[in-house]
Amino acid sequence: MNRRQFCASSLAVAGRTLLGGDTHGARAHQVPGAVPATEIHEARFPEGFLWGTATAAYQVEGAWKEEGKGESIWDRFTHTVGKVKGGTTGDVACDQYHLYPQDLTLAQRLHQKSYRFSISWPRIQPSGTGPPNMKGLDHYSRLVDATLKAGIRPFCTIYHWDLPQALEDRGGWPNRDLAGYYADYAGILAKHLGDRITVWAPFNMPWSFTYMGYGVGAFPPGRANYADFLKAAHTVALAQSQALRSIKAASSKATVGSAYGMCPAYPKADSEADRAAAARYHAMNNVFFLEAAMHGRYPNAFVGEPPYEVMGFKSGDEKILEAPLDWIGFHYYTRRIVSDAREARTFGGGSFGGTEIEADSAGGRDPYTRFRAVMPTEGPLTESGLEVWPRGIYDLVTQISREYNHPILEITESGCGYLDAPYDKANGGVPDARRIEFFRQELAELARAIADGARVRAFHAWSLLDNFEWANGHSERYGLIYVDYRDQKRTIKDSGLWYGRISASSRLEA
Ligand code: FCB
């Protein structure tokens, strides 16, 4: 089914749903990958399950140069003509820097129990090192207080991609010195906010920002050099564990986990070679940083020995890398089909659409991992172009549970991009039935993983509200709340109302 056919068929489905003339069972026959109605009825979540949403500083805050904030690599990137779809920037975004009280009131109305937000490093250290900017810290202190007052757990992501530009000017993540600077920054946060924040994730999607930023140049700083990617990845892995130690030294209440991006990987053919390629994908894209933290080593992501020299690995680094996480957090959006590319003669990064899709490259994508990963289109595509495959979250959660001895898990992000807008601005809701269906089916699969023993304690929908979607600007909307960027008016979408009922009842039938 191509995108246009899908839109037509899903609109028809949405129409029938609204008219009450369809059952999940009938739909299950029509849409590949759909979850049967019985499973949705049976879905149960444990008592105390934390229903949440997630955002990121650059995507929602705006106020890009207020109260002493320094320039970030995303400020530089979005201010460069031609980098972002539609030429939009995050200068204002959702203006959450000023409007956070309103947004937290909305979250409270939706019965939210966890809010995952990120802190902007250049607000705290405008040039990346040195004493903190107290105005920046005060802002986050107020945000945390407001979150707690709303009865919501504050979950802090320390780095969601907005590196101080001054540190990029010193070489960026391939420069190993950044691990120490980052650990200092994390320690400052824990010292000033660690009396109230107990849940910390050092990096959002470390593979993505190192690969997109240094390996293929789709994100800032726009470098396309695989060796730089490997060096950046190693610095980030070192930074992750050094930060864990500095956070725990500054706050006795701190627990440290992660916010990794993960896609379950399925071998294209039932062959030894493709199974090994899918395992390399899992090692590189899903658990590279996790394995480093848990066991002080890199998993087998490469054909042959890891390229330690290219990475800048020094003897003794394995001891620095090991810093076991208290819980494991990861996102789920979609899946990958992976095949072996050891025989491919050309290597290249390929081109990119969205934040996560690796398009086909002519051959394998690099001389080390030698696999080819594609997003299948068997299931329907969202308007942001990702395949809807609810079963993927079951497979991923059970796999990570197995591989890491049944740890406590949090789903740090999951969601879908659809452009539904209010019918009528003054009175209208936003009838985004496709988003409701996405979450309903996915959450049924998550409940099934929990029933099978996975210790999942939280789910964060991406996102509380529509926001600045990186290089795609405002061309994609992932929010449970609609944002009109002309006047910052918020309108809770039907999916937001639905998610609020789910959060109150923990039953998918609400
Ligand atoms: C994830 C990012 C998040 C947002 C969603 C749609 O990859 O972590 O910031 O862009 O995708």
Side-chain angles (χ1 to χ4, degrees):
M1 190 186 304
N2 66 29
R3 189 189 290 215
R4 185 168 306 163
Q5 287 162 338
F6 165 65
C7 288
S9 88
S10 58
L11 277 176
V13 167
R16 284 197 299 278
T17 305
L18 289 174
L19 293 170
D22 190 16
T23 66
H24 296 297
R27 213 152 48 242
H29 292 299
Q30 289 164 13
V31 180
V35 172
T38 44
E39 191 185 317
I40 292 168
H41 287 303
E42 283 162 12
R44 295 290 178 274
F45 291 87
E47 203 166 315
F49 190 78
L50 293 165
W51 296 95
T53 60
T55 61
Y58 187 75
Q59 295 182 273
V60 298
E61 283 180 351
W64 78 281
K65 55 177 179 183
E66 280 180 46
E67 299 198 306
K69 176 181 166 294
E71 187 189 18
S72 79
I73 56 172
W74 273 94
D75 293 318
R76 179 71 62 92
F77 187 78
T78 62
H79 294 159
T80 306
V81 173
K83 295 293 188 192
V84 177
K85 243 187 217 174
T88 40
T89 71
D91 290 2
V92 178
C94 310
D95 199 22
Q96 196 182 73
Y97 193 76
H98 301 110
L99 300 179
Y100 71 88
Q102 187 190 118
D103 289 343
L104 289 168
T105 302
L106 289 168
Q108 188 176 19
R109 258 177 67 192
L110 299 182
H111 305 284
Q112 294 304 288
K113 288 287 173 277
S114 179
Y115 181 50
R116 177 177 164 249
F117 63 96
S118 81
I119 291 185
S120 158
W121 187 350
R123 283 195 202 284
I124 307 301
Q125 291 175 297
S127 56
T129 57
N133 166 29
M134 289 315 293
K135 287 194 169 156
L137 277 171
D138 288 348
H139 166 76
Y140 291 109
S141 182
R142 288 189 297 271
L143 175 78
V144 170
D145 285 344
T147 307
L148 288 167
K149 202 166 153 231
I152 298 172
R153 178 191 73 163
F155 172 138
C156 178
T157 308
I158 297 170
Y159 182 90
H160 200 130
W161 303 357
D162 43 357
L163 184 71
Q165 179 64 42
L167 291 184
E168 182 51 43
D169 297 342
R170 288 159 82 164
W173 286 110
N175 174 1
R176 186 181 168 109
D177 293 345
L178 263 71
Y181 302 150
Y182 173 82
D184 291 345
Y185 157 59
I188 292 172
L189 298 186
K191 177 171 168 221
H192 290 269
L193 304 168
D195 55 335
R196 287 155 291 156
I197 298 177
T198 58
V199 181
W200 303 87
F203 289 103
N204 180 71
M205 302 177 82
W207 176 83
S208 299
F209 77 81
T210 49
Y211 188 67
M212 296 291 187
Y214 298 94
V216 296
F219 282 179
R223 282 193 239 167
N225 178 318
Y226 200 79
D228 278 349
F229 156 64
L230 289 174
K231 286 192 177 62
H234 186 48
T235 307
V236 166
L238 293 167
Q240 164 183 259
S241 50
Q242 288 178 223
L244 180 141
R245 288 187 271 273
S246 67
I247 293 165
K248 294 209 167 187
S251 163
S252 57
K253 295 184 191 168
T255 69
V256 179
S258 59
Y260 301 129
M262 294 195 190
C263 295
Y266 305 88
K268 183 172 181 191
D270 186 19
S271 68
E272 182 102 5
D274 283 2
R275 277 193 296 274
R280 291 198 298 281
Y281 176 96
H282 182 64
M284 179 84 261
N285 292 53
N286 295 345
V287 298
F288 196 72
F289 299 90
L290 177 56
E291 189 76 4
M294 295 309 215
H295 302 300
R297 61 172 183 237
Y298 289 121
N300 216 351
F302 308 99
V303 172
E305 271 294 287
Y308 289 120
E309 215 166 296
V310 187
M311 298 171 88
F313 197 101
K314 293 186 186 164
S315 90
D317 279 358
E318 59 284 352
K319 291 206 189 68
I320 304 176
L321 288 176
E322 187 168 359
L325 304 178
D326 299 306
W327 47 272
I328 298 172
F330 53 88
H331 316 343
Y332 173 69
Y333 283 89
T334 189
R335 63 174 176 154
R336 293 287 184 273
I337 302 291
V338 182
S339 55
D340 183 49
R342 277 174 304 176
E343 304 305 324
R345 278 199 219 113
T346 53
F347 296 102
S351 59
F352 292 85
T355 55
E356 312 190 290
I357 304 177
E358 297 158 60
D360 280 357
S361 54
R365 63 177 191 178
D366 64 68
Y368 300 101
T369 57
R370 298 189 174 216
F371 57 71
R372 189 159 169 272
V374 299
M375 186 195 69
T377 53
E378 183 186 346
L381 304 184
T382 66
E383 281 177 335
S384 298
L386 301 189
E387 188 201 26
V388 178
W389 199 255
R391 162 95 204 220
I393 197 166
Y394 176 89
D395 291 342
L396 187 57
V397 163
T398 50
Q399 182 176 8
I400 296 296
S401 290
R402 253 191 336 267
E403 291 176 354
Y404 290 90
N405 198 19
H406 298 279
I408 294 171
L409 301 177
E410 298 215 7
I411 304 303
T412 35
E413 280 181 30
S414 186
C416 48
Y418 292 112
L419 291 166
D420 308 280
Y423 274 135
D424 142 17
K425 192 161 174 201
N427 313 306
V430 181
D432 59 336
R434 291 171 296 178
R435 182 171 285 102
I436 295 176
E437 209 44 49
F438 174 93
F439 280 124
R440 197 199 301 274
Q441 300 205 15
E442 187 197 23
L443 286 166
E445 285 290 288
L446 181 61
R448 192 161 70 86
I450 294 171
D452 286 354
R455 296 165 68 202
V456 185
R457 74 173 177 201
F459 178 86
H460 298 84
W462 182 272
S463 177
L464 175 64
L465 71 177
D466 294 336
N467 56 50
F468 179 81
E469 184 47 43
W470 307 115
N472 290 318
H474 287 165
S475 70
E476 296 183 357
R477 289 181 179 270
Y478 275 86
L480 296 169
I481 297 174
Y482 184 88
V483 176
D484 186 332
Y485 295 107
R486 293 168 300 183
D487 59 8
Q488 294 297 344
K489 181 173 163 24
R490 274 74 162 140
T491 306
I492 302 176
K493 300 180 189 179
D494 286 358
S495 60
L497 297 170
W498 177 83
Y499 192 64
R501 293 195 296 275
I502 298 309
S503 305
S505 68
S506 280
R507 297 288 291 268
L508 298 181
E509 288 307 312

